[in-house]
Amino acid sequence: MSEPSLRVLSVVSELYPWVKTGGLADVAGALPGALAAEGVAMRTLIPGYPAMLAALPATGVAVHDFASLFGAPARLLAAEVDGLGLFVLDAPHLYARAGSPYAGPDGQDFADNAQRFAALARVGEQIGGGLVAGFVPDVVHAHDWQAGLTPAYLRLASGRRPPSVMTVHNLAFQGQFPAGLLAALGLPPESYGIEGVEYYGAIGFLKAGLRYADRITTVSPSYAAEICTPAGGMGLDGLLQARRDVLHGILNGIDEAVWNPASDPHLPEPFSATRRAGRAVCKAALQARFGLDRDPDALVFGVVSRLTWQKGMDLLLQAVPALLGQGAQLAVLGAGEPALVGGFAAAAAATPGRVGTAIGYEEAIAHLVQGGADALLVPSRFEPCGLTQLCALRYGALPVVARSGGLADTVIDANAAALAQQVATGLQFAPNSLPALEQAIGRAAGLWRQPAQWQRIQRNAMRCDVGWRGPAGAYAALYRAMAAEAG
Ligand code: ADP
């Protein structure tokens, strides 16, 4: 007998495929579909950015009118789009802007981000309190600092409210705002303190979520452990350590329909774990796209990443000479810090045919890199879960990863024991230093010179379960436990 359906409200600031700056959007977009199979009905509350409103069908209906929400009228729209149940907060004074969800075209964060995301959280709390009669959630699930006030509002509200879970996708982004905004954000004076929303003299949105949520999750078991330490806790390790008993690490999956090499419209030729011949065609297309020499025998390393310090891209740039010394090629897709963008562009200019770049955010090219590169480099200094190495596993681009967070949890290093057991799926290196990265590149090149070994690892990689079934089961179990406790 299937379990009774549970209603969960997801509160989030990005949603694939409409609004995405990183992995958060992928998770928010894929989780509801996977949860449906677990008997969980998830609806997603998202700000009404222009791209979100444009995605709504004419059948979207207003389910609530706010006379005033942080300074002006607003509406809550409900719609079903591509199988996702959505609540879209149509508040033009907060969200009708050009730029990313968080910053204008000039790259500057919007000055009223506190109000913009407090509004999202406030409406999440109200839906939790029964604002929409047709969907009264049993659990509210808040993602990252943008939704961090949701658990606070729920806990501080009068009347019955559902329990909440706060998920940390990246502890580096915490949402700190001036303490003087306390009243404007509708937070009571007594909530301002170390046992409340205060974070070193400011209001911390993520801190608030971590403090008030009934449960905390993060996106891998290793990252759950790392964020409880001074080295990985980014100032929140004390709170996280104190709440260790309600902190869970649940790995992300990838959307296996979007990331399926057998039916990927961005690949010139399909392939699969059992029929891998099409990979050679994809590799040739990748080499052509990145201006690399058309050499089927050259080991091609790919990168699909934000070009940032967190992602270890400065280390990789320094490792380019060693990589070239191994006779390998490098294809870098990314956008980010100007110095790194310039650095990779300079490397490509200096070594034409050996290093190629595609600067920008290009979904189609991301698929081509995964399908055409022989190995994917992920030298992150910290990585909560990481999605690109999961895509790489599925597409048979052997992940070469720093032993950190979710990277450590998802790639099995090709050491002697793993090779003997035939369970290796990629390479790990530690510590995250230039010599260790160079050594890992050298190890990859050594394996490349043993084609039978390489193909065995590739086959193992492509057989890994990187989908959402397992993670969705873990979230469903967590929600049910929370709902049962709440009675
Ligand atoms: P993060 O969210 O920290 O940036 P993740 O590995 O969790 O890193 O998720 C990154 C997601 O963004 C993946 O889906 C990846 O394919 C995608 N991505 C990153 N950079 C680019 C880019 N330049 N172009 C296209 N997709 C990208």
Side-chain angles (χ1 to χ4, degrees):
M1 207 179 79
S2 67
E3 303 235 28
S5 174
L6 199 77
R7 284 172 304 267
V8 178
L9 178 71
S10 170
V11 183
V12 71
S13 60
E14 301 184 23
L15 189 61
Y16 178 86
W18 302 287
V19 184
K20 168 167 164 172
T21 71
L24 171 64
D26 294 313
V27 175
L31 192 53
L35 283 168
E38 301 289 332
V40 174
M42 174 171 270
R43 279 185 158 255
T44 304
L45 171 65
I46 176 115
Y49 312 112
M52 220 48 248
L53 292 174
L56 292 185
T59 49
V61 292
V63 289
H64 191 80
D65 286 304
F66 301 92
S68 177
L69 183 72
F70 289 89
R75 296 184 310 162
L76 185 63
L77 308 175
E80 181 102 8
V81 186
D82 290 356
L84 289 180
L86 302 182
F87 290 120
V88 177
L89 181 54
D90 181 18
H93 62 298
L94 300 173
Y95 308 126
R97 303 181 189 177
S100 87
Y102 318 120
D106 59 359
Q108 295 290 315
D109 282 357
F110 294 120
D112 59 349
N113 272 348
Q115 290 84 344
R116 295 174 76 233
F117 293 105
L120 179 74
R122 175 60 87 191
V123 173
E125 176 259 313
Q126 292 191 9
I127 297 173
L131 184 75
V132 182
F135 189 85
V136 182
D138 300 295
V139 171
V140 175
H141 189 163
H143 298 271
D144 273 352
W145 74 262
Q146 295 87 350
L149 287 189
T150 315
Y153 287 143
L154 285 164
R155 185 66 74 79
L156 297 167
S158 56
R160 190 177 156 78
R161 292 289 186 278
S164 63
V165 50
M166 179 83 230
T167 293
V168 180
H169 294 265
N170 189 339
L171 198 65
F173 304 113
Q174 299 188 355
Q176 251 85 258
F177 299 99
L181 288 173
L182 197 70
L185 299 180
L187 291 164
E190 63 273 16
S191 71
Y192 190 74
I194 190 152
E195 288 301 323
V197 302
E198 187 200 345
Y199 180 82
Y200 294 105
I203 300 169
F205 277 31
L206 183 63
K207 153 81 195 288
L210 298 175
R211 163 69 184 83
Y212 287 105
D214 297 275
R215 293 283 207 288
I216 299 168
T217 71
T218 189
V219 289
S220 69
S222 286
Y223 194 59
E226 288 168 16
I227 61 178
C228 290
T229 67
M234 303 208 171
L236 288 165
D237 43 294
L239 172 58
L240 288 162
Q241 184 57 42
R243 303 209 67 199
R244 193 70 180 92
D245 56 330
V246 296
L247 167 62
H248 310 263
I250 301 177
L251 277 169
N252 288 331
I254 54 171
D255 188 323
E256 290 169 299
V258 174
W259 293 100
N260 181 0
S263 62
D264 189 329
H266 304 299
L267 298 183
E269 190 79 22
F271 62 89
S272 67
T274 46
R275 299 171 69 89
R276 283 174 285 160
R279 256 198 141 264
V281 179
C282 297
K283 178 169 174 175
L286 174 77
Q287 287 174 321
R289 172 63 185 78
F290 281 80
L292 300 173
D293 295 338
R294 285 220 186 189
D295 179 357
D297 297 328
L299 167 58
V300 178
F301 287 99
V303 170
V304 178
S305 183
R306 292 187 281 120
L307 299 181
T308 62
W309 180 88
Q310 181 207 327
K311 298 290 180 180
M313 287 295 126
D314 51 324
L315 288 175
L316 178 58
L317 194 53
Q318 295 174 62
V320 167
L323 185 149
L324 296 176
Q326 296 286 350
Q329 300 180 349
L330 178 63
V332 178
L333 167 64
E337 293 166 11
L340 291 170
V341 170
F344 282 108
T351 51
R354 308 286 308 282
V355 177
T357 61
I359 301 304
Y361 195 92
E362 303 277 357
E363 197 79 33
I365 302 179
H367 287 245
L368 184 61
V369 173
Q370 298 285 9
D374 300 302
L376 189 87
L377 282 164
V378 195
S380 306
R381 287 202 166 79
F382 66 94
E383 193 61 78
C385 177
L387 296 176
T388 58
Q389 86 280 12
L390 300 181
C391 302
L393 288 168
R394 188 128 205 260
Y395 279 58
L398 298 196
V400 179
V401 304
R403 186 175 301 136
S404 171
L407 300 173
D409 293 340
T410 54
V411 175
I412 300 176
D413 179 62
N415 54 43
L419 288 174
Q421 298 286 320
Q422 305 215 0
V423 294
T425 59
L427 291 172
Q428 293 191 357
F429 63 93
N432 199 343
S433 63
L434 181 59
L437 172 57
E438 289 176 342
Q439 198 187 18
I441 289 169
R443 285 177 66 207
L447 285 169
W448 179 249
R449 290 190 281 273
Q450 306 169 59
Q453 188 74 280
W454 185 277
Q455 280 170 28
R456 261 198 300 278
I457 303 172
Q458 189 180 52
R459 203 166 47 231
N460 292 341
M462 295 182 77
R463 285 180 179 155
C464 285
D465 182 2
V466 292
W468 271 105
R469 261 179 314 278
Y475 278 114
L478 181 71
Y479 300 147
R480 282 190 208 288
M482 293 169 66
E485 268 169 34

